[in-house]
Amino acid sequence: MKTNLKWLNEYLQPGLDLSEQAVLDLAQQIELTSVELESVGTAVAKQSGLVVVRVDSIVPHPDSDHMVITQVFDGQKTIQVVTGAPNVAEGQLVILARVGAQIVDRESGDLVTIKEAQLRGEISYGMLVALQEIGLADSVAPQDFEEGIHVFTEEDDVKPGDDALAVLGLKDPMIDTDLTPNRADLLSMRGMAYELAAMTDQKVMLPQTTVLSDQSESNAVVTVAGNADLATGYAVRVLGQVKNDSSPLWLQSRLWNAGFKPENKIVDLANYWLLLTGQPLHVYDLDKLATMQLEVRLAKEGETLPQGEEEAMALRADQDIVVAAGDQILSLAGIATNPAVAVTADTTKVIVEAGQFNPSLLRQSARRHTLRSESSFRFERGIDLYQTLEVLDQVAAEMAMLTKGKIVVGLSKFGFAYRAPETIAISRDRINQILGTDLSVAKISAIFTRLALPIDEKDGQYLVTIPGRRTDLTIPADLIEEVGRLYGYDNLPTALVEGQSTPGDLTPRQKKIRASREIMESLGFNQAISYALTTPEKATAFNLDQNRDVVALDYPMSSDRTTIRQNLLSGLLDDVSYNVARSVKDLALYEQGRIFLAQGENAQPEEREHLAGVLVGNVAESSWQTGKKDEVADFYDIKGRLEAYLQTIGLDSSAVRFEQSAQHEAMHPGQTADVYLGSTYLGFVGQIHPAVLANAKLPAAFAFEIDLEVVIDHSQAPVAYQPVSKYPQISRDLAVLVDDSLDQQQVFDVIKANGGDYLQNVTFFDLYTGQGLPAGKKSLAYQLTYQDKTDTLVESVVTDAFEKMTATLTAELGAEIR
C-alpha cells in the first residue's frame, strides 16, 4: 500500500519528521519492526522547475493551424509560451515547465531539460504541461493526455508562482509497503497511523466520528435482504439532490498518490474512505436500478455481469455472491460493479453500500474470474467488523456536504449481530520465557499501550482486548511477537545452538552453480534476483519448453504475482525496465535461479536451474582518446560471452554449435540462434523482439537463456590448466564461395570436423556479398591455426590436412575454394 506520510501526519500527535533523512530513517525502522518496503520517496523525486501560471492572453500562431501563442504570468513576470494544447483558454491557472525545468519524458522515461525553443518562427520560453508529463501515469491521471493540459479550478486555492508539484501533492513523502497476508490492518491510513504511532511512541488522533441519528428502516427508500452465510452485515444509505462534479484538488491528489484514478466526488469519496479506514464501499446510481429492493444472494444459472460495450462476464451459479435489484445484477460483491449502474457526473441520487461479505467465497470468486480490486484485496484479508456502520454514516455525511446533497431518511440493513470483543490471556513469565528476556510488567504494559491494545493486568497476568482492526491477533503467540518486535529484535539476547559440528562441503552440482555465478561476473555481468511469481504472459514468454502448462497459485497475493515462472528472462527484462526508468542505460545483468514446469494436476512442478543474461546499451564507452567511440551491444557480444561461459564451465567448445531459429516468438527471428552441445539442446541466444521492447519502452536488448541442469550434466570433468605449448603455430587463410542460403555454421562445422589432428582454432573473419560474385553466392573467409603441442609441426603435414579439408568442403557443400 502506498502511504502518504504528510496525510498520515494529520492523525499523529505530535507528528512525524518529514525531512528527507528522517523519512529514510523511518523506512529503515519500519523494515526492522513491521513489514518490508517496496519504495521510499516522492512521486517526482527528480523533477523540478514547475510553477503555477495564469494565462493572460492567447493569439493564433501565424504559421500553424493548431498552435497558439500565450502570455502567462508566474507571479513575477510575463512569459511567452507556444502551445498546441486544445483546451488552453484565457484566465486559466495552468502548469508551466520553465526553461531549465526537468521533467520525465512520458514515452521514454528519460529525465529531460526544458530549453528555449523556436516553434515555426516563434520563441517559446517553456512548456504548458499535462499531469502525465510531470509524473502521473495514464491509469491515475483524471483526464486523458489527448484532452490537453491540466487546468486548476477556483476551489483548488492556488495562485501564480506556486510550486506546481507541491500543490499537486507530488512532493509529499511516500512509503510503499509490501504487506504480508496477515497484516490487513496496514491496508488503511488508520491502521498505518496506529502502527507508526506504536513504533515512534506517538498518539493517534482520528477524525471526529459522525453517527447519523436516523437508524430506522421504516422510511427507507431502498430495502435490503440477505443472510449471514453470504454477508455478516450489509447496509445502504441514500443521498439525493447531489451535484456530482470533479473532486477538489486535495481529494484528487491523495487518490492519485495512492494509485487511484479520480473520477467524481461520489466515487472519489468512496475510495478516499476505503484508503482511510480499510472499509470497502460501493456506490450505485439510484435512478438506474430496476427495483428499490436489493438482495445479497448467490448468482443464478445464466446470469452475467456486464463489463462494458457488448461484453459480459458469466457468473458461476450458486457460487458467486452478487448484489441484485430483482434480476438486475448490480455487482459481483466486493469485486466489480455493473457499469450500467455506475455513478457518473450526471447522477443526482446515490446508493452508498457498506458490506461484510464472506471472505472465503469472495476470494474464490476473485480467483475464479481472475479479477481483483482494491475492495476484494481487503475483504479477502479481513476487515474491521466493528466499524462498518460507523464508516457508512461518516462517508454519507461527507458526500452530502461535498456535493451539496441531502441524506434521505432511513438506514437499510441486515445482519450486524452483536460481537463480543475478542480477548487473549497471557502472562509476563510466558512472554519472557519465549523471548529470552527479563521484561518488567511496566515495560510490557507500556508496549501494549503503545500498540493501543486495551489490557487488564493483575500480578503479571494480562487479559488483552483485541480491537477489530487487528484481525491478525488470535493466539498468545501473536501477542508475544508484538512485544518482541516493539521491544526490538536487535535487543533480544542471542545464544549458541548446542549440537555436534561436522565439516561440510559443496556437492559437485553446487560447485558448478557457484562457478556459474563467478564466471558470469568475470564476464562483466551483475547479478539480478527476480520474483519467482509473475503473470501467465511473462511466465511463458521466453520458454525453452513451449509445451508445459503454467502453474497458477490458488491464493495469489496480487494480480501480477499469480503464476510461477517458466523462464528467467521475463524477470530480467523487468529489472532492465526498472534501471532504464532511472536513467541507467548501460546494463549487463544475469540471473541464475529455478524455473518451474507443470507435471499435471495435483503434482508438484518440476524445478530446474536456469541461467540467463541480458546486454543493453554500450559495452564500451568513448573516452578522451582519439578514435575511441561508444560500442553498442549487438548479437555477437552476447553470443561471445555465452561461448566464453560454456567453455569456462567445462563444456567441449568444439561440440558447441549455433543454429539460426525463428521459433521463439519473443525473440527477433533474424537475430536468434538455438544453442546445442552436439545434438543436446541447451537454450537460445539473440535479440529480444522489437515489439516486446516497444511495449516495455526499452532500447535494443540482447539476451540468452540456457538450461543449467543440462550444462552441469555435460561438464562433469573439472576444468584443468593446460600448459602453453613451446612449439610454433602455422596459420592458413581460407576463402570459400558458397550458396547464399548456406549458414556459416555449416561451413564452420565441416572445417572443424575435417581439419585434422593439429587444427587448434578456426576464426571466421570476413563475409562478402555483392559486386564481382555470381548471383546467389557469398564469400566466407577463415583463419585456421595449426599446432603440434609435442613437436615442431612441418609444412607438408599442414598442407595435406588443409587439402583434405578443402576437398570435403567442395564435395559436401559445393564450395568453391578461392
Side-chain angles (χ1 to χ4, degrees), residues 528-531 534 537-538 541-542 565 567-582 584 587 589-591 612-616 666-667 684 686-705:
I529 300 176
S530 304
Y531 284 106
T534 183
E537 296 76 17
K538 291 182 179 180
F542 297 95
R565 68 185 178 189
N567 65 82
L568 302 181
L569 270 184
S570 290
L572 274 181
L573 278 189
D574 288 341
D575 298 334
V576 170
S577 296
Y578 182 90
N579 281 275
V580 169
R582 287 154 180 79
V584 181
L587 297 165
L589 300 177
Y590 84 93
E591 181 169 7
V614 62
L615 289 178
V616 177
M667 301 296 291
F684 61 85
Q687 182 180 359
I688 306 294
H689 199 290
V692 175
L693 298 174
N695 289 336
K697 298 180 181 178
L698 294 176
F702 299 86
F704 74 83
E705 180 157 347

Side-chain angles (χ1 to χ4, degrees), residues 89-127:
E90 290 186 7
Q92 290 176 336
L93 291 174
V94 297
I95 304 170
L96 171 67
R98 291 169 162 161
V99 173
Q102 290 190 310
I103 63 174
V104 173
D105 184 273
R106 64 186 300 268
E107 296 294 337
S108 66
D110 295 334
L111 193 66
V112 296
T113 301
I114 300 299
K115 299 178 181 179
E116 177 184 319
Q118 191 171 65
L119 303 176
R120 295 195 178 183
E122 297 293 335
I123 298 178
S124 182
Y125 298 96
M127 175 176 135

